[in-house]
Amino acid sequence: ACLFLTGICLITLLSAITSLAQLHVTEDLRGRVMSIFMLAFRGGMPLGNLVSGYLAARFSPSTALLAGSVLLGSSAIAFLVSGSPIKRL
């Protein structure tokens, strides 16, 4: 049941992010922006999974999760501290 709810939340999040990216881009740049967006999200996730799998096999699954959590948390804090105009979205 928890995985089912997590899947629903993930699909909702991805559709919301995709909609925001399309709504805040001018008509003539939408195709280019969406291609880079898809490359980053659809291409970046498998690479991250590959690195996480390597770390889990080399060390332990908990170490891989900890490393991913520290990386994600530090990048989120860096985004919140920065003066990025994307935060207004």
Side-chain angles (χ1 to χ4, degrees):
C2 189
L3 286 175
F4 177 74
L5 291 174
T6 303
I8 289 174
C9 290
L10 180 64
I11 290 171
T12 304
L13 175 73
L14 288 176
S15 66
I17 290 172
T18 304
S19 298
L20 277 174
Q22 290 181 9
L23 288 173
H24 286 86
V25 173
T26 60
E27 188 82 22
D28 56 334
L29 295 177
R30 187 169 294 151
R32 293 180 186 130
V33 169
M34 290 312 296
S35 68
I36 293 172
F37 176 83
M38 289 298 167
L39 178 68
F41 279 98
R42 302 288 189 230
M45 284 185 200
L47 292 176
N49 292 338
L50 185 66
V51 171
S52 295
Y54 173 76
L55 289 175
R58 175 112 172 138
F59 301 106
S60 70
S62 59
T63 303
L65 286 174
L66 179 65
S69 300
V70 167
L71 181 64
L72 182 62
S74 61
S75 59
I77 290 171
F79 175 73
L80 289 173
V81 171
S82 73
S84 176
I86 295 175
K87 290 191 288 189
R88 290 180 299 171
L89 296 176

